Amino acid sequence: MDRNTLIGLLLMFGIIAGSFYLMKPSDVEIKKEQALQDSLARVKKGLAPLTDSTKTNGQIVTTQPAQTADSATLKLPFGATKFGTEKIITLENDKIIAKISSKGGRVKSVQLKGETNFNGKPLLLFEGDDNKFGLKFNVAGQAINTNDLYFTSEDADVKITGEDSKSIKLKLNYGADQYIEYVYTLKGHGYNLGLDINTKGIQNKIDQKSIDLDWETILLQKEQNIASERQKSTIYYKEGDNVDHLSEAKDEEKELKEKVVWIAFKQHYFSNILSSKTGFTSTKVDVKSTKEEGVIKLYSSTAQLDYATQRDNNYSLSFFFGPNQYKTLKAEGHDFHKIINMGWGPMRWINQFITVPVFDFLDGFNMSYGIVILILTLLLKLVLSPLTYKSYLSMAKMRVLKPQLDEIKAKVGEDNAVLLQQEQMKLYKTAGVNPLGGCLPLVLQMPFTIAFFYFFPNLFELRGESFLFMKDMSTYDTLFSFAPIFGVLNHVSLMCVLMTLTTLLTTWYNNSTSGATGQMKYIGYIMPLIFFFVLNSFPAGLNYYYFLSAILTFLTQLIIRSMVNDDKILAKLESNKKNPKVQKKSTFQSRMEEAMRQAQQNKK
């Protein structure tokens, strides 16, 4: 290749690279395109496009164009109900403030009293047109959706206290003594809003034997870590006797075959749950993710309500608008508590039957949650201390045998790995040492460690609770922040740093006491560094527990080491070599020796 050709190729590459750089869309253009795509997705779901929306206090408020009545529309079924003026009725008790709209007869917004968003503003589960709820059916060939129609009501705002309850009625009129009625009932205490739907005098007007109940909601950001909030939000449902859920990591749509008892639009720490006394049939649930700023996910469900054409119909429903607090959901019954992810298998059993009861007991003393976690960690370490002692004792045995293992290595050489392992296993057998003795106790402790990995990130009680330098133990604390690296890492958590440092200290001490060499010595240092990047964005409460656990493990090992005499251990192992009963092979040792014998023969 001559010089001119080379220069030409370089110029061509330069022009191409420059064009990519110069023609690259700006961040503003990228956001506009993303907003357009999100708006199109909302339109497909029947929601107002974002271009027609404004945001108030972080909530999307969609403006609707005014409609003008015309004679042709008025003659259609429910035609007169397509025009009207929206009226808002407020129901309030000690827990929630629910605003009911005459347009659609739906719950327009729900505020949880005593709770705030991460930015300190009042916590609204949803607001405005972000919540759609209505019956869909056909009358005289016309498709009807009650969400778009205007109900009438004579009720006014009401605040309920004590054991009292209050009901309000909204009617969707069809004709004289022909209507659909919504009756909302709120008690003076609790998170439940009852809804009775009555159809009166229209049984022969509806064309089918079932009515579709359509419920759609857009849930907005409430926590500091929106990525974590999205990962822990999805639709749960109870189908028959089983509680299941859609994917938390991807979009999913599912048609449920059995009767559904309830449907939960779950956000990380809060849920909207709709239940039915008679159950829903032919239910479809759908969850969609979005990258729209401040929006967690888009939920929708469609279920059938059996409709009898020979009589008036009644449907008894109930909404739960409240926190994903284990004891609160457990008290509600209906397996609501199963929407909280407590882990799987043994980890769920540990959390459900050990961790939660102990935590609730300690919580009853009204202590700081930082102190509660400290006591919980101390109790756990105390219960597991026998396993810790056995693990350390096994490592001590390996440590005192190290000079003899080195002699075997020098005698056999490292070229014949199979023979070297055979001689080492022979030494372990004669000395009565199980080479896995130090690992098994640690393995038995792992389910508890993993169980807490699920417990703390889903613990509602930590939300908004501060301790030491941690302003909110339910999310990460920030030592300092910076521009995103790889689009993910944009801060450093001080508690995560402290947890990592204490874990490295414990690893160093274990290596020095066990005499670990080679790759095993360095793996112990690599794992805490990896976990730093994994746990950096996890709740400070979880990292605080791991920090305490590492500190207590280190202190426990110091105490145990002061109780263990290496000379006495070595003397005991030497006496074992003369005791045939001790030299009896374990099942593991027999299998290991057989495997090595086969490997040696194959090598020959």
Side-chain angles (χ1 to χ4, degrees):
M1 181 183 298
D2 58 29
R3 186 178 63 176
N4 292 334
T5 304
L6 180 60
I7 293 174
L9 289 174
L10 291 175
L11 288 174
M12 289 175 61
F13 282 119
I15 292 171
I16 294 172
S19 64
F20 273 115
Y21 177 78
L22 294 173
M23 297 176 66
K24 181 180 68 174
S26 65
D27 292 339
V28 174
E29 292 172 328
I30 292 174
K31 288 183 179 180
K32 285 183 178 179
E33 178 62 25
Q34 182 62 53
L36 174 61
Q37 296 303 320
D38 290 330
S39 295
L40 292 174
R42 289 167 65 101
V43 170
K44 289 179 181 179
K45 292 179 66 62
L47 301 170
L50 294 176
T51 51
D52 294 334
S53 305
T54 58
K55 285 192 176 182
T56 303
N57 293 331
Q59 306 293 323
I60 298 176
V61 181
T62 307
T63 59
Q64 296 290 343
Q67 289 183 314
T68 304
D70 62 84
S71 58
T73 303
L74 292 173
K75 293 178 181 179
L76 296 175
F78 291 101
T81 64
K82 294 184 179 181
F83 311 98
T85 302
E86 185 178 34
K87 176 183 178 181
I88 303 297
I89 306 171
T90 301
L91 288 174
E92 178 181 357
N93 66 4
D94 65 334
K95 297 294 185 182
I96 66 174
I97 301 174
K99 293 185 180 296
I100 314 299
S101 171
S102 63
K103 184 180 180 182
R106 59 188 171 83
V107 182
K108 187 168 185 176
S109 72
V110 174
Q111 178 184 339
L112 293 191
K113 301 172 73 171
E115 300 292 343
T116 61
N117 289 335
F118 70 99
N119 54 13
K121 295 180 180 179
L123 191 143
L124 296 169
L125 295 182
F126 51 82
E127 186 180 28
D129 291 330
D130 289 345
N131 189 60
K132 299 177 66 176
F133 184 88
L135 303 177
K136 290 183 176 181
F137 51 88
N138 291 324
V139 175
Q142 295 292 319
I144 304 296
N145 183 351
T146 62
N147 182 79
D148 303 323
L149 306 179
Y150 287 88
F151 288 64
T152 60
S153 177
E154 301 301 324
D155 292 299
D157 298 350
V158 62
K159 184 174 182 179
I160 310 152
T161 59
E163 298 299 322
D164 297 335
S165 62
K166 175 67 177 178
S167 295
I168 63 169
K169 297 180 180 180
L170 300 98
K171 286 185 179 180
L172 187 69
N173 294 306
Y174 181 83
D177 296 324
Q178 295 177 312
Y179 56 84
I180 296 175
E181 181 182 58
Y182 286 3
V183 182
Y184 287 98
T185 303
L186 183 66
K187 295 182 179 179
H189 175 76
Y191 300 98
N192 292 289
L193 178 64
L195 171 59
D196 283 314
I197 301 177
N198 305 308
T199 63
K200 176 72 173 178
I202 61 172
Q203 56 265 35
N204 294 322
K205 304 298 180 181
I206 296 179
D207 297 340
Q208 64 261 27
K209 294 184 178 180
S210 64
I211 297 177
D212 287 339
L213 176 63
D214 183 65
W215 183 28
E216 301 178 15
T217 299
I218 300 174
L219 296 181
L220 305 181
Q221 181 181 3
K222 296 173 179 59
E223 314 303 330
Q224 173 180 291
N225 190 344
I226 190 171
S228 176
E229 191 174 5
R230 284 169 173 162
Q231 290 169 1
K232 294 178 175 60
S233 300
T234 191
I235 294 179
Y236 276 74
Y237 51 86
K238 185 174 182 181
E239 184 181 17
D241 295 326
N242 300 317
V243 176
D244 204 347
H245 62 90
L246 299 184
S247 173
E248 295 175 326
K250 61 181 180 180
D251 295 354
E252 186 176 4
E253 181 180 358
K254 191 171 184 180
E255 186 170 347
L256 308 179
K257 298 180 180 179
E258 297 184 39
K259 183 165 287 191
V260 174
V261 181
W262 51 258
I263 303 167
F265 288 178
K266 182 200 172 188
Q267 207 162 344
H268 187 179
Y269 286 117
F270 302 94
S271 285
N272 311 313
I273 306 176
L274 175 64
S275 57
S276 169
K277 288 185 178 180
T278 57
F280 305 110
T281 58
S282 300
T283 306
K284 295 180 181 179
V285 286
D286 179 27
V287 61
K288 284 185 171 59
S289 56
T290 176
K291 294 182 180 179
E292 182 187 341
E293 182 180 358
V295 178
I296 300 303
K297 284 182 179 177
L298 290 75
Y299 298 82
S300 67
S301 68
T302 302
Q304 286 187 356
L305 303 175
D306 293 334
Y307 187 79
T309 57
Q310 295 81 23
R311 55 179 171 80
D312 295 336
N313 290 266
N314 169 265
Y315 309 100
S316 183
L317 309 177
S318 178
F319 287 102
F320 171 86
F321 299 119
N324 295 329
Q325 186 178 32
Y326 190 87
K327 60 184 178 182
T328 298
L329 295 177
K330 183 76 172 177
E332 290 290 333
H334 312 293
D335 291 329
F336 281 0
H337 64 284
K338 291 185 178 180
I339 70 174
I340 300 177
N341 186 2
M342 288 289 183
W344 49 271
M347 278 67 76
R348 184 175 185 88
W349 303 333
I350 290 170
N351 281 330
Q352 193 168 339
F353 300 113
I354 300 177
T355 310
V356 169
V358 173
F359 182 88
D360 287 344
F361 172 76
L362 295 174
D363 192 21
F365 292 97
N366 296 318
M367 298 179 290
S368 165
Y369 284 111
I371 303 301
V372 170
I373 295 175
L374 172 60
I375 297 174
L376 185 65
T377 310
L378 283 168
L379 291 175
L380 178 64
K381 287 298 178 182
L382 182 63
V383 171
L384 297 178
S385 58
L387 293 176
T388 304
Y389 177 78
K390 288 185 178 181
S391 177
Y392 183 88
L393 191 61
S394 180
M395 288 190 294
K397 291 178 181 179
M398 298 291 289
R399 182 176 65 251
V400 299
L401 285 179
K402 188 175 184 304
Q404 299 181 42
L405 292 171
D406 291 340
E407 289 180 8
I408 292 174
K409 186 181 295 185
K411 180 180 178 181
V412 176
E414 298 184 12
D415 295 336
N416 194 335
V418 176
L419 181 59
L420 177 61
Q421 289 179 345
Q422 285 179 335
E423 293 299 321
Q424 288 175 340
M425 292 298 295
K426 187 182 297 183
L427 174 62
Y428 294 145
K429 183 188 70 173
T430 57
V433 174
N434 183 355
L436 294 181
C439 299
L440 290 178
L442 294 177
V443 171
L444 293 175
Q445 296 181 53
M446 284 300 293
F448 289 89
T449 303
I450 300 174
F452 279 29
F453 182 81
Y454 288 98
F455 179 71
F456 285 112
N458 292 289
L459 186 59
F460 175 81
E461 283 81 353
L462 294 185
R463 189 176 187 275
E465 294 293 329
S466 61
F467 184 70
L468 300 178
F469 55 85
M470 298 173 284
K471 295 181 180 179
D472 185 349
M473 299 178 72
S474 70
T475 187
Y476 59 81
D477 64 291
T478 304
L479 177 61
F480 54 86
S481 57
F482 42 82
I485 300 175
F486 304 118
V488 179
L489 184 66
N490 62 356
H491 70 278
V492 170
S493 165
L494 177 56
M495 186 50 71
C496 191
V497 170
L498 294 176
M499 180 273 297
T500 303
L501 292 176
T502 52
T503 306
L504 289 172
L505 174 64
T506 305
T507 300
W508 168 80
Y509 184 75
N510 286 338
N511 287 342
S512 64
T513 55
S514 65
T517 58
Q519 294 181 349
M520 292 301 297
K521 179 178 180 179
Y522 297 104
I523 289 176
Y525 292 113
I526 294 173
M527 293 306 295
L529 296 176
I530 293 175
F531 278 116
F532 166 78
F533 291 100
V534 173
L535 298 174
N536 184 57
S537 293
F538 272 68
L542 177 64
N543 283 318
Y544 173 58
Y545 159 71
Y546 285 143
F547 166 74
L548 291 176
S549 181
I551 289 289
L552 293 175
T553 298
F554 179 69
L555 294 176
T556 302
Q557 290 179 346
L558 285 178
I559 295 171
I560 293 175
R561 185 169 189 180
S562 67
M563 299 166 54
V564 173
N565 187 302
D566 286 2
D567 293 334
K568 290 183 178 180
I569 293 176
L570 181 59
K572 176 66 175 175
L573 296 181
E574 291 298 331
S575 66
N576 288 342
K577 294 180 181 180
K578 303 174 184 179
N579 187 349
K581 293 183 180 180
V582 175
Q583 298 177 24
K584 185 178 178 181
K585 299 178 184 177
S586 67
T587 303
F588 169 77
Q589 288 173 323
S590 299
R591 291 180 178 177
M592 283 292 293
E593 288 187 9
E594 179 62 27
M596 288 186 288
R597 190 178 298 110
Q598 291 292 335
Q600 186 72 11
Q601 291 177 356
N602 294 335
K603 187 176 181 180
K604 293 179 180 180

